[in-house]
Amino acid sequence: MGLIAEKEKRRAVAHLQQKAQAFETEVALRQSEERFRLLVEGIQDYAIYSMDPHGVITSWNSGARRIKGYTSEEVIGQNFSRFYTSEDVERGLPGKVLQIAREEGHYEGEGWRIRKDGSRFWSNVVVTPLRDEAGNVLGFSKITRDMTERKLLMDRIQEHAEELDKAQESLRRLTARLLQVQDDERRRLARELHDGAGQILAALNMNLESLQDAVKEQIAPSLNQRLAESIRLANQVIKETRTLSYLLHPPLLDEAGLRDALHWFVGGFIERSGIQTELEISPNFSRLPRELETAIFRIIQESVTNIHRHSGSPKASIHLALDLDEVLLTISDQGRGMPSVAAPEEPKSRRKLGVGIAGMRERILQLGGCFVFPLPAGSASVYQATPS
Ligand SMILES: Nc1ncnc2c1ncn2[C@@H]1O[C@H](COP(=O)(O)OP(=O)(O)O)[C@@H](O)[C@H]1O
Ligand SMILES: [Mg+2]
């Protein structure tokens, strides 16, 4: 008897202890829920609120009050679509937001929302469905951040980037136009020199020679000498005028094409500069559209002038090849290299790219090609151009 009573008593105590523990756990849970509620309530930087499955607001924190301007009394029981612009409401965005959150377990988006005072703010929102243990959607939580300042900043950056793009585009157009005008002007000057001054000089020379023939026997040797000297000077001017005219625009370029024009030009360059220049043109290299031939000629002209002026190299080489419909042009020297490569400690020199190199790049870009300057390691200073 006594034993059974003892057992029952122990069971009753254990039962009581269990109940007490469950109660304590419940209290602790409630306290932690309450703390969590207070935590959410106290957050100022985020509007946090909950909704029922239809989007009717059921809770409202102080951040929501601060960001949207409504007190909880004003919005609890209202549909959250009231914060959307009328255009967004018309295209059914609030409903879509809840649908996506329900189907995908999460919705995140950005857009304009309306404050109580009617002003707009750019929001970043995250909507998450709240489910019971069986997975039924009990409602949604929504966290909204006011990103207006960042949005305005991003818009301004975007605007500036667009302006910059436009400015660059017009600069490129201007450069292209400038190069075109320069080519036309050189061609015109070359013709003028050749047909104008060149013809007059040739006539002058002929006159001098016939004068010499006519008076040679009758005038003093000193006068004869002066006449011969004049003829020599006239010949020199004729030669120089012709060289100048041909350098401005080689007639061979239009008539015979790049191959002949380059052989003539490189021959003259070797003579004038003393730089041993190798010119290799692939056998399949045929005639190309005029503007392409002119561009390639100008690039080579500018490059070898640079080699002469800046590299100190005794040698130069020019390779020109045609591969399918691509032109590959490589120009190299064995000189001191670009200042930035040779002396990286001088940062200012690195920025010094004259109009020569800029012009080459522009010509190639205009033709849809690719410009590499200087070529990496190995040779000192190289231009590579691939107009297509
Ligand atoms: N082949 C080269 N070797 C060494 N430096 C070069 C060579 N080509 C160009 N440079 C450097 O690049 C600079 C810019 O060249 P460029 O644009 O043609 O302008 P410019 O010839 O009028 O100075 C030159 O001043 C020179 O310092
Ligand atoms: Mg130059």
Side-chain angles (χ1 to χ4, degrees), residues 176-194 244-250 254 290 294 298 363:
R177 179 89 194 102
L178 216 67
L179 289 167
Q180 177 69 48
V181 168
Q182 192 189 49
D183 284 344
D184 291 349
E185 192 60 13
R186 282 180 177 174
R187 187 178 266 118
R188 194 186 65 79
L189 265 175
R191 192 170 308 132
E192 206 114 295
L193 264 180
H194 183 268
L244 190 61
S245 153
Y246 284 11
L247 280 177
L248 275 169
H249 186 83
D254 295 340
R290 185 167 115 164
T294 306
R298 293 295 180 217
R363 281 187 195 275

Side-chain angles (χ1 to χ4, degrees), residues 262 265-266 269 275 277-280 295-308 311 313 315-321 328-335 360 364 371-375 379-386:
L262 281 175
F265 171 72
V266 169
F269 176 72
I275 295 173
T277 309
E278 171 198 79
L279 172 66
E280 194 184 292
I296 295 169
F297 186 84
R298 293 295 180 217
I299 289 165
I300 292 174
Q301 207 174 17
E302 176 62 35
S303 305
V304 300
T305 307
N306 273 355
I307 291 172
H308 179 48
S311 78
S313 172
K315 288 183 179 170
S317 80
I318 303 164
H319 291 256
L320 192 56
L328 185 72
L329 168 63
T330 316
I331 303 161
S332 58
D333 65 58
Q334 298 168 11
M360 281 188 241
I364 290 164
F371 177 75
V372 183
F373 172 84
L375 274 189
S379 44
S381 172
V382 179
Y383 309 86
Q384 185 179 23
T386 327

Side-chain angles (χ1 to χ4, degrees), residues 112-344:
W112 289 111
R113 298 285 184 278
I114 312 287
R115 292 195 190 90
K116 185 185 173 186
D117 64 10
S119 62
R120 297 198 316 166
F121 71 100
W122 185 261
S123 70
N124 169 285
V125 304
V126 176
V127 179
T128 319
L130 304 168
R131 296 179 193 274
D132 65 10
E133 277 163 17
N136 304 310
V137 173
L138 301 176
F140 298 92
S141 74
K142 186 164 186 208
I143 304 179
T144 303
R145 254 189 308 167
D146 182 348
M147 307 286 269
T148 312
E149 268 179 38
R150 201 195 63 161
K151 165 77 174 162
L152 295 180
L153 207 65
M154 295 304 281
D155 283 355
R156 275 186 47 202
I157 291 173
Q158 177 72 21
E159 267 169 39
H160 285 315
E162 277 165 21
E163 272 169 27
L164 201 65
D165 273 356
K166 266 190 228 156
Q168 262 171 346
E169 179 53 33
S170 73
L171 194 65
R172 294 199 44 196
R173 251 186 317 209
L174 191 68
T175 312
R177 179 89 194 102
L178 216 67
L179 289 167
Q180 177 69 48
V181 168
Q182 192 189 49
D183 284 344
D184 291 349
E185 192 60 13
R186 282 180 177 174
R187 187 178 266 118
R188 194 186 65 79
L189 265 175
R191 192 170 308 132
E192 206 114 295
L193 264 180
H194 183 268
D195 299 350
Q199 297 307 319
I200 294 170
L201 285 167
L204 175 69
N205 197 38
M206 278 189 326
N207 281 352
L208 284 174
E209 278 172 352
S210 58
L211 189 65
Q212 188 184 40
D213 279 348
V215 300
K216 201 161 32 185
E217 313 295 331
Q218 302 141 34
I219 57 176
S222 66
L223 286 180
N224 250 326
Q225 216 172 358
R226 218 177 290 168
L227 199 51
E229 174 69 5
S230 301
I231 291 170
R232 201 186 57 74
L233 285 175
N235 272 325
Q236 196 180 333
V237 170
I238 287 169
K239 198 166 158 229
E240 277 178 18
T241 308
R242 179 176 300 146
T243 306
L244 190 61
S245 153
Y246 284 11
L247 280 177
L248 275 169
H249 186 83
L252 276 176
L253 190 55
D254 295 340
E255 289 154 21
L258 203 49
R259 183 187 294 276
D260 289 2
L262 281 175
H263 278 293
W264 164 81
F265 171 72
V266 169
F269 176 72
I270 294 171
E271 213 172 277
R272 287 188 298 277
S273 67
I275 295 173
Q276 270 320 304
T277 309
E278 171 198 79
L279 172 66
E280 194 184 292
I281 303 176
S282 65
N284 67 338
F285 205 93
S286 50
R287 295 236 34 193
L288 299 169
R290 185 167 115 164
E291 83 252 35
L292 191 50
E293 289 196 329
T294 306
I296 295 169
F297 186 84
R298 293 295 180 217
I299 289 165
I300 292 174
Q301 207 174 17
E302 176 62 35
S303 305
V304 300
T305 307
N306 273 355
I307 291 172
H308 179 48
R309 278 175 59 194
H310 307 298
S311 78
S313 172
K315 288 183 179 170
S317 80
I318 303 164
H319 291 256
L320 192 56
L322 194 63
D323 182 17
L324 295 176
D325 55 352
E326 254 189 12
V327 175
L328 185 72
L329 168 63
T330 316
I331 303 161
S332 58
D333 65 58
Q334 298 168 11
R336 62 178 69 96
M338 283 292 285
S340 57
V341 179

